[in-house]
Amino acid sequence: MTAFAARIERVEPSATLAISSVAKELRAEGADVVDLSVGEPDFPTPAPIVEAGIAAMRDGHTGYTAPRGIPSLREAIATELATDGLAYDPDQIIVTPGGKQALYEVFQTVVDDGDEVVLLDPAWVSYEAMAKLAGGTLRRVDLTTSNFKLEPALDELTTAISDETRLLVVNTPSNPTGMVYTDDALAAVRDLAVDHDVTVISDEIYKRITYGRTPASLATLDGMADRTITVNGFSKTYAMTGWRLGYLAGPTDIIDQAAKLQSHSVSCATNFVQHAGVAALTDVDDEVDEMVTAFEDRRDHLIDRLEDAGAHVPAVPDGAFYLMVPVVGDDLETCETAIQEAHVATTPGSAFGAPGYARLSYANSTDRIDEALDRLFDLEYFRRD
Ligand code: PMP
Ligand code: GLU
């Protein structure tokens, strides 16, 4: 038997990607599968981005770039972040192949064996895995009892955070709940982070996909700039999941350390993709607004139908394109039945630290959402009030 490193034995494959792969396999066998599992916009990448990528390839931008990314993209990112009140110099930014790699680099840079990492559950599946890969131990604050809102759970957060805490991950709008945390809640997070000298990841990948309320950026709060790493990416906002482009921005000392990891692992983000990223930030706006409007319409439609059917909806999402709902029975089994028998792919809440729930991604057309709901209602999938 081959012996494997303990760190890799500690983690499972990404549940979101695994379910989506099952959906793809069933589809390849001819099944009519509705995929509400993976968080992937169903829109094509806006044309100006595609054109810029092709032009960059034709212009010969096909070699390695500097590990931290091309200057024009880091400048465009700094300008974009400034619109949110975030003052980052281009030297404080590392462009990565996807936001996931940015997060991975932060965990590897900050978390040591035995260090405590605090997550707000339900939390996106890969934070737990990244913490474990870095040797960290987890403290999880359960937001299911407060219908995913952070403010009512601040006592629990206060208990969870101590001088032992190395890293806190805040993701708002949240995957999988879609919650936008209030300014007051984020101010309380700030107080705890400053009091206990905690480093914070602010994962803002859904920041442009909101329906009325936009969250504050944690690094703009007093005392947070030198302890916050802001992570973002192009996958969701610009429908660029397969291009793999994201970034981290943070205090110079952390960025300098993370840059070592980047240079020894992926070297750099793909050259021509970085050029396409400049076009995304400078030439694309209306297309994003159109996608966000479509997501909002789908959210409303999905919730109307669920409520009409008496299904329990704990909270209306303020952003992203996910809805967390309680399901009947064991969530792993219920989601397995849904994919195998009804050919509807959904993600079990257990993957996010929320057993008994499931996540529906509504980055899909209203017709397909309707089709999925019809099949799931037949299965008695949703828990009622
Ligand atoms: N953070 C969150 C909360 C996400 O949902 C995702 C989705 N994949 C990512 C980061 C990373 O996305 P990507 O690597 O495609 O930029
Ligand atoms: N973040 C998306 C999701 O949660 C994409 C898949 C992944 O990277 O986990 O579905």
Side-chain angles (χ1 to χ4, degrees):
M1 265 291 272
T2 316
F4 296 106
R7 77 179 77 83
I8 202 67
E9 302 252 35
R10 285 195 285 265
V11 299
E12 298 295 325
S14 162
T16 45
L17 296 179
I19 291 153
S20 180
S21 300
V22 174
K24 287 189 174 81
E25 276 163 29
L26 284 167
R27 205 173 270 152
E29 290 164 13
D32 173 26
V33 178
V34 191
D35 190 356
L36 304 186
S37 65
V38 74
E40 179 160 44
D42 58 325
F43 297 100
T45 305
I49 302 173
V50 175
E51 295 309 324
I54 293 169
M57 254 187 271
R58 292 221 164 97
D59 290 346
H61 295 294
T62 52
Y64 294 125
T65 72
R68 293 179 191 212
I70 58 173
S72 55
L73 180 55
R74 283 187 290 133
E75 278 155 24
I77 291 169
T79 305
E80 172 81 8
L81 291 174
T83 61
D84 283 332
L86 290 161
Y88 289 112
D89 190 82
D91 286 344
Q92 293 177 275
I93 294 166
I94 302 176
V95 176
T96 52
K100 204 178 258 185
Q101 174 70 16
L103 289 161
Y104 182 75
E105 291 180 11
V106 178
F107 276 88
Q108 288 294 320
T109 300
V110 170
V111 178
D112 232 333
D113 277 336
D115 281 351
E116 226 172 75
V117 177
V118 175
L119 299 183
L120 304 174
D121 275 346
W124 177 51
V125 56
S126 292
Y127 300 139
E128 172 181 345
M130 289 182 195
K132 287 180 171 171
L133 286 168
T137 57
L138 287 156
R139 288 279 311 239
R140 317 192 68 142
V141 176
D142 181 15
L143 303 189
T144 56
T145 49
S146 60
N147 287 338
F148 314 135
K149 297 194 171 44
L150 179 53
E151 237 167 313
L154 285 174
D155 283 349
E156 284 94 305
L157 185 63
T158 307
T159 310
I161 292 190
S162 68
D163 291 349
E164 302 305 306
T165 309
R166 181 68 189 97
L167 182 69
L168 166 70
V169 183
V170 178
N171 168 221
T172 179
S174 151
N175 176 4
T177 67
M179 290 295 105
V180 168
Y181 302 136
T182 63
D183 288 352
D184 286 350
L186 294 180
V189 167
R190 184 265 318 276
D191 292 347
L192 288 167
V194 170
D195 283 356
H196 296 286
D197 194 19
V198 173
T199 301
V200 180
I201 289 178
S202 181
D203 182 343
E204 306 189 359
I205 197 159
Y206 297 102
K207 186 150 190 183
R208 280 216 51 197
I209 306 175
T210 54
Y211 317 120
R213 290 196 317 116
T214 305
S217 283
L218 271 171
T220 61
L221 306 189
D222 270 357
M224 289 302 281
D226 57 2
R227 64 177 67 257
T228 304
I229 300 109
T230 304
V231 173
N232 211 323
F234 293 70
S235 287
K236 318 290 174 175
T237 307
Y238 300 103
M240 289 178 73
T241 48
W243 295 70
R244 312 307 301 129
L245 193 63
Y247 58 89
L248 62 151
T252 308
D253 52 351
I254 296 181
I255 292 297
D256 287 349
Q257 296 297 327
K260 294 196 284 191
L261 186 58
Q262 167 110 338
S263 73
H264 287 301
S265 54
V266 293
S267 299
C268 59
T270 305
N271 191 336
F272 46 85
V273 170
Q274 295 188 52
H275 287 271
V278 175
L281 292 176
T282 54
D283 293 346
V284 174
D285 231 0
D286 294 350
E287 293 91 331
V288 176
D289 292 342
E290 281 161 25
M291 287 190 267
V292 173
T293 304
F295 293 140
E296 185 172 8
D297 290 346
R298 294 159 181 193
R299 174 199 68 165
D300 293 345
H301 180 76
L302 173 62
I303 288 173
D304 282 351
R305 281 212 60 196
L306 287 172
E307 289 185 340
D308 284 350
H312 182 61
V313 177
V316 175
D318 313 295
F321 32 64
Y322 308 109
L323 180 72
M324 277 294 266
V325 284
V327 292
V328 172
D330 174 275
D331 58 298
L332 294 165
E333 284 171 17
T334 305
C335 290
E336 182 66 17
T337 309
I339 177 90
Q340 295 300 346
E341 290 180 17
H343 292 160
V344 180
T346 55
T347 311
S350 297
F352 308 102
Y357 289 78
R359 186 191 77 176
L360 312 185
S361 164
Y362 51 88
N364 214 324
S365 70
T366 310
D367 283 353
R368 296 303 281 165
I369 290 170
D370 277 337
E371 176 65 31
L373 288 177
D374 291 342
R375 297 186 202 174
L376 293 176
F377 288 142
D378 282 348
L379 265 191
E380 293 293 329
Y381 174 98
F382 299 102
R383 223 158 63 210
R384 286 159 193 282
D385 282 318

